[in-house]
Amino acid sequence: MKKTIVFLAACFFFLLSGAPLFASGFQLKDIGGLSTAGKLYDHWWYSNGNITFTGEGVAGSQVEATIDGTTETVSVSEAGQWSYTPAPLANGDHQVSFASQGSTVAFTLTIGGEMPAGVGAPAEATTPVVGNFAPTQILLISGGLFLLTSSSLLLWAKKEEKSF
C-alpha cells in the first residue's frame, strides 16, 4: 500500500512539473484588432499608423519586435500573452518581424492606401506552420520517460509484494 501511494505521488508530481510544456508556442494573433487567425501572410494592410500587435508565447519569455530595423523587446505574461504598440507609423510600407524562442513571424505592413484587387489568402498547402517544435519534442520525450519509469515502478512494487 505504501509503495502504491509513493508511485501515485510520483505520477502526480511528474504531471504537475510538465504542465508548462502544454502551453507553448509563439504566434502573432492580432494586428490592430484584425485577427490573423494563425495565418502567416507576407503582406498585411492597415488603415492608419496607430496599431497594436498582440500574440501568444511561452510564459516569461521575450519577444523581439522589429519594425524597419528598429528592435524593441516585450515580455510574455504568465498567461502566455504579449502586446506591442510602436510609435505611430507613417503611411507606406514597413518591414515588420516578431521573434521568440526560435520562431519568427515577418511581413510587410502597408499603412494607408488601398489593398490591391485580387489579393486573397494563399492556399492552405502554402501557409507555413507557426511555432517551435522543441516543446513538442520535450513533451514526447518526457512522456516516454514517464511510461518507462511508471512501468518499472509498477513491476518493482509487484516484485516486492511477492517477496513478503
Side-chain angles (χ1 to χ4, degrees):
M1 179 69 168
K2 189 184 228 183
K3 292 173 187 154
T4 304
I5 292 172
V6 171
F7 173 73
L8 291 175
C11 292
F12 184 72
F13 176 78
F14 177 83
L15 291 175
L16 286 179
S17 66
L21 296 175
F22 293 107
S24 61
F26 168 71
Q27 290 190 57
L28 174 66
K29 301 291 279 185
D30 185 279
I31 300 173
L34 171 68
S35 172
T36 63
K39 304 289 184 194
L40 291 178
Y41 300 130
D42 63 354
H43 203 136
W44 291 91
W45 285 262
Y46 196 73
S47 58
N48 67 63
N50 297 319
I51 191 167
T52 297
F53 302 91
T54 59
E56 294 178 349
V58 176
S61 67
Q62 300 292 312
V63 175
E64 288 187 353
T66 304
I67 298 180
D68 296 330
T70 301
T71 301
E72 293 185 52
T73 302
V74 295
S75 296
V76 179
S77 72
E78 290 304 315
Q81 305 296 314
W82 60 269
S83 178
Y84 174 66
T85 304
L89 300 172
N91 285 355
D93 289 345
H94 300 275
Q95 299 305 310
V96 179
S97 72
F98 297 96
S100 181
Q101 301 284 309
S103 295
T104 302
V105 175
F107 55 91
T108 299
L109 176 66
T110 299
I111 301 294
E114 300 272 330
M115 186 169 71
V119 171
E124 286 295 321
T126 63
T127 304
V129 176
V130 176
N132 184 349
F133 187 66
T136 303
Q137 288 175 321
I138 292 169
L139 185 61
L140 290 172
I141 292 168
S142 297
L145 291 173
F146 172 73
L147 289 174
L148 286 172
T149 304
S150 61
S151 60
S152 296
L153 285 173
L154 216 85
L155 290 173
W156 174 75
K158 285 185 179 186
K159 182 179 176 185
E160 290 293 317
E161 285 177 9
K162 288 180 182 180
S163 66
F164 282 116

